[in-house]
């Protein structure tokens, strides 16, 4: 796996809606910019060999890094695969939609739910939002949120950006009633 760079973004929100938070809300993103393992091969029918060769290594690289950057236990999490213009969305999906990738994050975060995801193809600098949900109960509304990401020089046409995001809490100042109140 060829990693051109790793980008870490940490956002700390201290005020929301004109009110200070009791404790700052933290969200971390760690993204690896990698060479697309299928670039230049035309249509590849069987993606499994490339997935087997790279997905687990990416999960092992990114999961501890995003939790370290968060500097707190994760309560919400998500993932992204942004494919450069010479690739297919399926290339990114193949790398992140496998237990070989996701289980690294689930185990590190003590999570049990599916990782919400965004997949997209775009040029360098494309903006993407990583959806986040609670790590053990996807129905907890307070943790349904997203984090916006943009890497100025990635992905190049033959690259893929693979990213993980984690939040140490739900949305700042959340005050929606639990889903159970509507059932």
């Amino acid at each position: 796996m060829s990693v051109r760079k790793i980008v870490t973004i940490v956002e700390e929100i201290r005020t929301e809606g004109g009110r200070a938070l009791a404790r700052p809300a933290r969200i971390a993103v760690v993204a690896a910019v990698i060479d697309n393992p299928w670039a230049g091969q035309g249509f590849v029918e069987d993606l499994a060999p490339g997935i087997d060769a790279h997905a687990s290594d990416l999960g092992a690289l990114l999961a501890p890094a995003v939790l370290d950057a968060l500097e707190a236990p994760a309560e919400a999490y998500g993932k992204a695969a942004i494919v450069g213009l010479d690739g297919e969305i399926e290339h990114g999906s193949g790398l992140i939609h496998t237990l070989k990738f996701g289980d690294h994050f689930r185990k590190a975060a003590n999570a049990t739910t599916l990782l919400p995801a965004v997949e997209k193809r775009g040029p360098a600098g494309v903006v993407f939002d990583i959806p986040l949900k609670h790590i053990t109960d996807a129905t907890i509304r307070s943790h349904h949120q997203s984090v916006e990401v943009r890497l100025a020089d990635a992905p190049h046409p033959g690259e893929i950006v693979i990213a993980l995001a984690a939040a140490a809490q739900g949305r700042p100042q959340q005050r929606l009633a639990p889903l159970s109140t509507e059932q």
Side-chain angles (χ1 to χ4, degrees), residues 49-131:
I51 293 167
D52 290 343
H54 303 293
S56 182
D57 290 345
L58 284 165
L61 173 70
L62 296 175
V66 73
L67 294 174
D68 287 348
L70 188 61
E71 296 180 351
E75 290 187 13
Y77 67 168
K79 62 187 174 183
I82 311 304
V83 180
L85 295 176
D86 288 347
E88 299 174 41
I89 293 172
E90 191 72 359
H91 297 163
S93 295
L95 292 171
I96 67 169
H97 290 304
T98 174
L99 296 177
K100 293 172 178 137
F101 176 78
D103 274 355
H104 289 282
F105 202 7
R106 268 186 285 286
K107 288 175 185 170
N110 296 313
T112 56
T113 58
L114 292 175
L115 274 158
V118 62
E119 304 92 345
K120 182 176 182 173
R121 179 176 37 236
V126 66
V127 174
F128 56 98
D129 292 342
I130 302 176

Coordinates of all heavy atoms in Angstrom, one line a residue, residues 49-131:
P49 N -8.8 -9.4 -4.5 CA -7.3 -9.4 -4.2 C -6.8 -8.1 -3.7 O -6.0 -8.0 -2.7 CB -6.7 -9.8 -5.5 CG -7.7 -10.6 -6.2 CD -9.0 -9.9 -5.9
G50 N -7.3 -7.0 -4.3 CA -6.9 -5.7 -3.8 C -7.4 -5.4 -2.4 O -6.7 -4.7 -1.6
I51 N -8.7 -5.8 -2.2 CA -9.3 -5.6 -0.9 C -8.5 -6.3 0.2 O -8.1 -5.8 1.2 CB -10.8 -6.0 -0.9 CG1 -11.6 -5.0 -1.8 CG2 -11.3 -6.0 0.5 CD1 -13.0 -5.5 -2.1
D52 N -8.2 -7.6 -0.1 CA -7.5 -8.4 0.8 C -6.1 -7.9 1.1 O -5.6 -8.0 2.2 CB -7.3 -9.9 0.3 CG -8.7 -10.6 0.3 OD1 -9.6 -10.2 1.0 OD2 -8.7 -11.6 -0.4
A53 N -5.5 -7.3 0.1 CA -4.1 -6.8 0.2 C -4.0 -5.4 1.0 O -3.0 -5.1 1.6 CB -3.5 -6.6 -1.1
H54 N -5.1 -4.7 1.1 CA -5.0 -3.3 1.6 C -6.0 -2.9 2.7 O -5.7 -2.1 3.6 CB -5.2 -2.3 0.5 CG -4.2 -2.5 -0.6 ND1 -2.8 -2.2 -0.5 CD2 -4.4 -2.9 -1.9 CE1 -2.2 -2.5 -1.6 NE2 -3.1 -2.9 -2.5
A55 N -7.2 -3.5 2.7 CA -8.3 -3.0 3.6 C -7.9 -3.2 5.1 O -8.0 -2.2 5.9 CB -9.6 -3.7 3.4
S56 N -7.4 -4.3 5.5 CA -7.0 -4.5 6.9 C -5.9 -3.6 7.3 O -5.9 -3.0 8.4 CB -6.6 -6.0 7.2 OG -6.3 -6.1 8.5
D57 N -4.9 -3.4 6.5 CA -3.8 -2.5 6.8 C -4.3 -1.1 7.0 O -3.8 -0.4 7.9 CB -2.7 -2.5 5.7 CG -1.9 -3.9 5.6 OD1 -2.0 -4.6 6.6 OD2 -1.3 -4.1 4.6
L58 N -5.2 -0.6 6.2 CA -5.8 0.7 6.3 C -6.5 0.9 7.6 O -6.4 1.9 8.3 CB -6.7 1.1 5.1 CG -6.0 1.4 3.8 CD1 -7.0 1.3 2.7 CD2 -5.4 2.8 3.9
G59 N -7.3 -0.1 7.9 CA -8.0 -0.1 9.2 C -7.1 0.0 10.4 O -7.3 0.7 11.4
A60 N -6.0 -0.9 10.3 CA -5.0 -0.9 11.4 C -4.3 0.4 11.5 O -3.9 0.8 12.6 CB -4.1 -2.1 11.2
L61 N -4.1 1.1 10.4 CA -3.4 2.4 10.4 C -4.2 3.5 11.0 O -3.8 4.3 11.9 CB -2.9 2.7 9.0 CG -2.3 4.1 8.8 CD1 -0.9 4.2 9.4 CD2 -2.2 4.3 7.3
L62 N -5.5 3.6 10.5 CA -6.3 4.7 10.9 C -7.1 4.6 12.2 O -7.2 5.6 12.9 CB -7.3 4.9 9.7 CG -6.8 5.3 8.4 CD1 -7.9 5.3 7.3 CD2 -6.0 6.6 8.4
A63 N -7.5 3.4 12.6 CA -8.3 3.3 13.8 C -7.6 3.9 15.1 O -8.1 4.7 15.8 CB -8.8 1.9 14.0
P64 N -6.4 3.4 15.4 CA -5.7 4.0 16.6 C -5.4 5.4 16.4 O -5.4 6.2 17.4 CB -4.5 3.1 16.7 CG -4.3 2.4 15.4 CD -5.6 2.3 14.7
A65 N -5.1 5.8 15.2 CA -4.7 7.2 15.0 C -5.9 8.2 15.2 O -5.7 9.3 15.9 CB -4.2 7.4 13.5
V66 N -7.1 7.9 14.8 CA -8.2 8.8 15.0 C -8.6 8.8 16.5 O -8.9 9.8 17.1 CB -9.4 8.4 14.1 CG1 -10.1 7.2 14.5 CG2 -10.4 9.6 14.1
L67 N -8.5 7.7 17.2 CA -8.8 7.6 18.6 C -7.7 8.4 19.4 O -8.1 9.1 20.4 CB -9.0 6.2 19.1 CG -10.2 5.5 18.5 CD1 -10.2 4.0 18.9 CD2 -11.5 6.2 18.9
D68 N -6.5 8.3 19.0 CA -5.4 9.1 19.7 C -5.7 10.6 19.5 O -5.5 11.4 20.4 CB -4.0 8.7 19.1 CG -3.6 7.4 19.6 OD1 -4.1 6.8 20.5 OD2 -2.6 6.9 19.0
A69 N -6.0 11.0 18.3 CA -6.3 12.4 18.0 C -7.5 12.9 18.8 O -7.5 14.1 19.2 CB -6.5 12.6 16.5
L70 N -8.5 12.1 19.0 CA -9.7 12.5 19.7 C -9.3 12.8 21.2 O -10.0 13.7 21.8 CB -10.7 11.4 19.6 CG -12.1 11.8 20.1 CD1 -12.7 13.0 19.4 CD2 -13.0 10.6 20.1
E71 N -8.4 12.1 21.7 CA -8.0 12.3 23.1 C -9.1 12.1 24.1 O -9.1 12.7 25.2 CB -7.3 13.7 23.3 CG -6.1 13.9 22.6 CD -5.4 15.2 22.8 OE1 -6.0 16.1 23.4 OE2 -4.3 15.4 22.3
A72 N -10.1 11.2 23.8 CA -11.2 10.9 24.7 C -11.8 9.6 24.1 O -11.6 9.3 22.9 CB -12.2 12.0 24.7
P73 N -12.6 8.9 24.9 CA -13.3 7.8 24.3 C -14.3 8.2 23.3 O -15.0 9.2 23.4 CB -14.1 7.2 25.6 CG -13.3 7.7 26.8 CD -12.8 9.1 26.4
A74 N -14.4 7.4 22.2 CA -15.3 7.7 21.1 C -16.7 7.3 21.5 O -17.0 6.3 22.1 CB -14.9 7.0 19.9
E75 N -17.7 8.2 21.2 CA -19.1 7.9 21.4 C -19.8 7.8 20.0 O -20.9 7.2 19.9 CB -19.8 9.0 22.2 CG -19.4 8.9 23.7 CD -20.2 9.9 24.5 OE1 -21.2 10.4 24.1 OE2 -19.8 10.1 25.7
A76 N -19.2 8.4 19.0 CA -19.8 8.3 17.6 C -18.7 8.2 16.6 O -17.5 8.6 16.9 CB -20.6 9.6 17.3
Y77 N -19.0 7.5 15.5 CA -18.0 7.3 14.5 C -18.5 7.1 13.1 O -19.7 7.0 12.9 CB -17.1 6.1 14.9 CG -17.7 4.7 14.9 CD1 -16.9 3.6 15.0 CD2 -19.1 4.5 14.8 CE1 -17.4 2.3 15.0 CE2 -19.6 3.2 14.8 CZ -18.8 2.1 14.9 OH -19.3 0.8 14.9
G78 N -17.6 7.3 12.1 CA -18.0 7.1 10.7 C -16.7 7.0 9.9 O -15.6 7.0 10.4
K79 N -17.0 6.7 8.6 CA -15.9 6.5 7.6 C -16.2 7.1 6.3 O -17.3 7.4 6.0 CB -15.6 5.0 7.5 CG -16.8 4.2 6.9 CD -16.6 2.7 7.0 CE -17.9 2.0 6.5 NZ -17.8 0.5 6.6
A80 N -15.1 7.2 5.5 CA -15.2 7.8 4.1 C -14.3 7.2 3.2 O -13.2 6.8 3.6 CB -15.0 9.3 4.2
A81 N -14.7 7.1 1.9 CA -13.8 6.7 0.8 C -14.0 7.7 -0.4 O -15.1 7.7 -0.9 CB -14.0 5.3 0.3
I82 N -13.1 8.5 -0.7 CA -13.2 9.5 -1.7 C -12.2 9.2 -2.8 O -11.0 9.2 -2.6 CB -12.9 11.0 -1.2 CG1 -13.8 11.2 0.1 CG2 -13.3 12.0 -2.3 CD1 -15.3 11.0 0.0
V83 N -12.7 8.8 -4.0 CA -11.9 8.3 -5.1 C -11.6 9.4 -6.1 O -12.5 10.2 -6.4 CB -12.7 7.1 -5.8 CG1 -11.9 6.5 -6.9 CG2 -13.1 6.1 -4.8
G84 N -10.4 9.4 -6.5 CA -10.0 10.4 -7.6 C -10.7 10.1 -8.9 O -11.3 9.0 -9.1
L85 N -10.6 11.0 -9.8 CA -11.4 11.0 -11.0 C -11.1 9.8 -12.0 O -11.9 9.5 -12.8 CB -11.3 12.3 -11.8 CG -11.9 13.5 -11.0 CD1 -11.6 14.8 -11.8 CD2 -13.4 13.3 -10.8
D86 N -9.9 9.2 -11.8 CA -9.6 8.1 -12.7 C -10.1 6.7 -12.1 O -9.8 5.7 -12.7 CB -8.1 8.0 -13.0 CG -7.7 9.1 -13.9 OD1 -8.6 9.7 -14.6 OD2 -6.5 9.3 -14.0
G87 N -10.7 6.8 -11.0 CA -11.2 5.5 -10.3 C -12.7 5.4 -10.3 O -13.4 6.3 -10.8
E88 N -13.1 4.3 -9.7 CA -14.6 4.1 -9.6 C -14.9 4.2 -8.1 O -14.1 3.8 -7.2 CB -14.9 2.6 -10.0 CG -14.6 2.3 -11.4 CD -14.9 0.8 -11.7 OE1 -15.9 0.3 -11.2 OE2 -14.0 0.2 -12.4
I89 N -16.1 4.6 -7.8 CA -16.6 4.7 -6.4 C -16.5 3.3 -5.8 O -16.2 3.1 -4.6 CB -18.0 5.2 -6.3 CG1 -18.0 6.7 -6.8 CG2 -18.6 5.0 -5.0 CD1 -19.4 7.3 -6.9
E90 N -16.7 2.2 -6.6 CA -16.6 0.9 -6.1 C -15.2 0.6 -5.5 O -15.1 -0.3 -4.6 CB -17.0 -0.1 -7.2 CG -17.2 -1.5 -6.7 CD -18.4 -1.8 -5.9 OE1 -19.2 -0.8 -5.6 OE2 -18.6 -2.9 -5.5
H91 N -14.2 1.2 -6.0 CA -12.8 1.0 -5.5 C -12.8 1.4 -4.0 O -12.2 0.7 -3.2 CB -11.8 1.8 -6.3 CG -11.7 1.3 -7.7 ND1 -11.1 2.1 -8.7 CD2 -12.1 0.2 -8.4 CE1 -11.2 1.5 -9.9 NE2 -11.8 0.3 -9.7
G92 N -13.3 2.6 -3.7 CA -13.3 3.1 -2.4 C -14.2 2.2 -1.5 O -13.9 1.9 -0.4
S93 N -15.4 1.9 -2.0 CA -16.4 1.1 -1.3 C -15.8 -0.2 -0.9 O -16.0 -0.7 0.2 CB -17.6 0.9 -2.1 OG -18.3 2.2 -2.3
G94 N -15.0 -0.8 -1.8 CA -14.4 -2.1 -1.6 C -13.5 -2.1 -0.4 O -13.4 -3.1 0.4
L95 N -12.8 -1.0 -0.3 CA -11.8 -0.9 0.8 C -12.4 -0.7 2.2 O -11.9 -1.1 3.2 CB -10.8 0.2 0.5 CG -9.8 -0.1 -0.7 CD1 -9.0 1.1 -1.0 CD2 -8.9 -1.3 -0.4
I96 N -13.5 0.1 2.2 CA -14.1 0.4 3.6 C -15.3 -0.4 4.0 O -15.6 -0.5 5.1 CB -14.5 1.9 3.7 CG1 -15.6 2.3 2.7 CG2 -13.2 2.8 3.4 CD1 -16.2 3.7 3.0
H97 N -15.9 -1.1 3.0 CA -17.1 -1.9 3.4 C -16.8 -3.4 3.5 O -17.3 -4.2 2.8 CB -18.2 -1.7 2.3 CG -18.9 -0.3 2.4 ND1 -19.4 0.2 3.5 CD2 -19.0 0.6 1.4 CE1 -19.9 1.4 3.3 NE2 -19.6 1.7 2.0
T98 N -15.8 -3.6 4.4 CA -15.4 -5.0 4.7 C -15.1 -5.0 6.2 O -14.5 -4.0 6.7 CB -14.2 -5.4 3.8 OG1 -13.8 -6.7 4.3 CG2 -13.1 -4.5 3.9
L99 N -15.3 -6.1 6.8 CA -15.0 -6.3 8.2 C -13.5 -6.2 8.4 O -13.0 -5.8 9.5 CB -15.5 -7.6 8.8 CG -17.0 -7.7 8.8 CD1 -17.4 -9.1 9.3 CD2 -17.7 -6.7 9.6
K100 N -12.7 -6.5 7.3 CA -11.2 -6.4 7.4 C -10.8 -5.0 7.7 O -9.8 -4.7 8.4 CB -10.6 -6.9 6.1 CG -10.8 -8.3 5.8 CD -10.3 -8.7 4.5 CE -10.5 -10.2 4.3 NZ -11.0 -10.6 3.1
F101 N -11.6 -4.0 7.3 CA -11.3 -2.6 7.5 C -12.0 -2.1 8.8 O -11.4 -1.7 9.8 CB -11.7 -1.7 6.4 CG -11.6 -0.3 6.6 CD1 -10.4 0.4 6.5 CD2 -12.7 0.5 6.9 CE1 -10.2 1.7 6.7 CE2 -12.6 1.9 7.1 CZ -11.3 2.5 7.0
G102 N -13.3 -2.3 8.8 CA -14.1 -1.7 9.9 C -13.9 -2.3 11.3 O -14.1 -1.6 12.3
D103 N -13.6 -3.6 11.3 CA -13.5 -4.2 12.7 C -12.3 -3.6 13.5 O -12.3 -3.6 14.7 CB -13.3 -5.7 12.5 CG -14.7 -6.4 12.5 OD1 -15.7 -5.7 12.7 OD2 -14.7 -7.6 12.3
H104 N -11.3 -3.1 12.8 CA -10.2 -2.4 13.5 C -10.8 -1.2 14.4 O -10.4 -1.1 15.5 CB -9.1 -1.9 12.6 CG -8.3 -3.0 12.0 ND1 -7.3 -3.6 12.6 CD2 -8.4 -3.6 10.7 CE1 -6.8 -4.5 11.9 NE2 -7.4 -4.5 10.7
F105 N -11.7 -0.5 13.7 CA -12.2 0.7 14.4 C -13.2 0.2 15.5 O -13.3 0.7 16.6 CB -12.9 1.6 13.4 CG -13.1 3.0 13.8 CD1 -12.6 3.6 15.0 CD2 -13.8 3.9 13.0 CE1 -12.8 4.9 15.4 CE2 -14.0 5.2 13.4 CZ -13.5 5.7 14.5
R106 N -14.1 -0.7 15.1 CA -15.1 -1.2 16.1 C -14.4 -1.8 17.3 O -14.8 -1.4 18.5 CB -16.0 -2.3 15.5 CG -17.2 -1.8 14.8 CD -18.1 -2.9 14.4 NE -17.7 -3.5 13.1 CZ -17.7 -2.9 11.9 NH1 -18.3 -1.7 11.8 NH2 -17.3 -3.5 10.9
K107 N -13.4 -2.6 17.2 CA -12.7 -3.1 18.3 C -12.0 -2.0 19.2 O -12.0 -2.0 20.4 CB -11.6 -4.2 17.9 CG -12.3 -5.4 17.4 CD -11.3 -6.4 16.9 CE -12.1 -7.6 16.3 NZ -11.2 -8.5 15.5
A108 N -11.3 -1.1 18.5 CA -10.6 0.0 19.2 C -11.5 0.9 20.0 O -11.2 1.4 21.0 CB -9.7 0.8 18.2
A109 N -12.7 1.1 19.4 CA -13.7 2.0 20.1 C -14.7 1.3 20.9 O -15.6 1.9 21.5 CB -14.4 2.8 19.0
N110 N -14.6 -0.1 21.1 CA -15.6 -0.9 21.8 C -17.0 -0.6 21.2 O -17.9 -0.4 22.0 CB -15.5 -0.6 23.3 CG -14.2 -1.0 23.9 OD1 -13.7 -2.1 23.7 ND2 -13.6 -0.1 24.7
A111 N -17.1 -0.6 19.9 CA -18.3 -0.3 19.2 C -19.0 -1.6 18.7 O -18.3 -2.6 18.5 CB -18.0 0.6 18.0
T112 N -20.3 -1.5 18.5 CA -21.0 -2.7 18.0 C -21.9 -2.4 16.8 O -22.4 -3.3 16.1 CB -21.9 -3.2 19.1 OG1 -22.8 -2.2 19.6 CG2 -21.1 -3.8 20.2
T113 N -22.1 -1.1 16.5 CA -23.0 -0.8 15.3 C -22.2 -0.7 14.0 O -20.9 -0.6 14.0 CB -23.6 0.6 15.6 OG1 -22.6 1.6 15.7 CG2 -24.6 0.6 16.8
L114 N -22.9 -0.7 12.9 CA -22.3 -0.5 11.6 C -21.7 0.9 11.6 O -22.3 1.9 12.1 CB -23.3 -0.7 10.5 CG -23.8 -2.1 10.3 CD1 -24.9 -2.1 9.3 CD2 -22.7 -3.0 9.9
L115 N -20.6 1.1 10.9 CA -20.0 2.4 10.6 C -20.8 3.1 9.5 O -20.8 2.6 8.4 CB -18.6 2.2 10.2 CG -17.5 2.1 11.3 CD1 -16.3 1.4 10.7 CD2 -17.2 3.5 11.8
P116 N -21.3 4.3 9.7 CA -21.9 5.0 8.6 C -20.8 5.5 7.7 O -19.7 5.7 8.1 CB -22.7 6.2 9.3 CG -22.0 6.3 10.6 CD -21.5 5.0 11.0
A117 N -21.2 5.7 6.4 CA -20.1 6.0 5.5 C -20.6 6.9 4.4 O -21.8 7.1 4.1 CB -19.7 4.7 4.8
V118 N -19.6 7.6 3.8 CA -19.8 8.3 2.6 C -18.8 7.8 1.5 O -17.6 7.5 1.9 CB -19.6 9.8 2.8 CG1 -18.2 10.2 3.2 CG2 -20.0 10.6 1.5
E119 N -19.3 7.6 0.3 CA -18.4 7.3 -0.8 C -18.7 8.3 -1.9 O -19.8 8.6 -2.1 CB -18.6 5.9 -1.4 CG -18.5 4.8 -0.4 CD -19.9 4.4 0.3 OE1 -20.8 5.2 0.2 OE2 -19.9 3.4 0.9
K120 N -17.6 8.7 -2.6 CA -17.8 9.7 -3.6 C -16.6 9.7 -4.5 O -15.5 9.3 -4.1 CB -17.9 11.1 -2.8 CG -18.1 12.3 -3.6 CD -18.2 13.5 -2.6 CE -18.5 14.8 -3.3 NZ -18.8 15.9 -2.4
R121 N -16.8 10.2 -5.7 CA -15.6 10.4 -6.6 C -15.5 11.9 -6.8 O -16.6 12.6 -7.0 CB -15.9 9.7 -8.0 CG -14.7 9.9 -8.9 CD -14.9 9.2 -10.3 NE -16.2 9.1 -10.7 CZ -16.9 7.9 -11.0 NH1 -16.2 6.8 -10.9 NH2 -18.1 7.9 -11.4
G122 N -14.3 12.4 -6.9 CA -14.2 13.8 -7.1 C -12.7 14.2 -7.3 O -11.8 13.4 -7.1
P123 N -12.5 15.5 -7.6 CA -11.2 16.0 -7.8 C -10.5 16.4 -6.5 O -11.1 16.4 -5.5 CB -11.4 17.3 -8.7 CG -12.8 17.8 -8.1 CD -13.6 16.5 -7.8
A124 N -9.2 16.7 -6.6 CA -8.5 17.2 -5.4 C -9.3 18.4 -4.9 O -9.8 19.3 -5.6 CB -7.1 17.6 -5.8
G125 N -9.4 18.4 -3.6 CA -10.1 19.5 -2.9 C -11.6 19.4 -2.7 O -12.3 20.2 -2.2
V126 N -12.1 18.2 -3.2 CA -13.6 18.0 -3.1 C -14.0 18.0 -1.6 O -13.3 17.5 -0.7 CB -14.0 16.7 -3.8 CG1 -13.4 15.5 -3.1 CG2 -15.5 16.6 -3.9
V127 N -15.1 18.6 -1.3 CA -15.6 18.6 0.1 C -16.5 17.4 0.3 O -17.3 17.0 -0.6 CB -16.4 19.9 0.3 CG1 -17.1 19.9 1.7 CG2 -15.6 21.1 0.2
F128 N -16.3 16.7 1.4 CA -17.2 15.6 1.7 C -17.5 15.6 3.2 O -16.8 16.1 4.0 CB -16.5 14.3 1.3 CG -15.2 14.0 1.9 CD1 -15.1 13.2 3.1 CD2 -14.0 14.5 1.4 CE1 -13.8 12.9 3.6 CE2 -12.8 14.2 1.9 CZ -12.7 13.4 3.0
D129 N -18.7 15.1 3.5 CA -19.2 15.1 4.9 C -19.2 13.6 5.4 O -19.8 12.8 4.7 CB -20.6 15.6 5.0 CG -20.7 17.1 4.7 OD1 -19.7 17.8 4.8 OD2 -21.8 17.6 4.5
I130 N -18.6 13.4 6.5 CA -18.6 12.0 7.1 C -19.7 11.9 8.1 O -19.7 12.7 9.0 CB -17.2 11.7 7.7 CG1 -16.1 11.8 6.8 CG2 -17.3 10.3 8.4 CD1 -14.7 11.6 7.4
P131 N -20.7 11.0 7.8 CA -21.7 10.9 8.8 C -21.3 10.1 10.0 O -20.4 9.2 9.9 CB -22.8 10.1 8.1 CG -22.0 9.3 7.1 CD -20.8 10.1 6.7

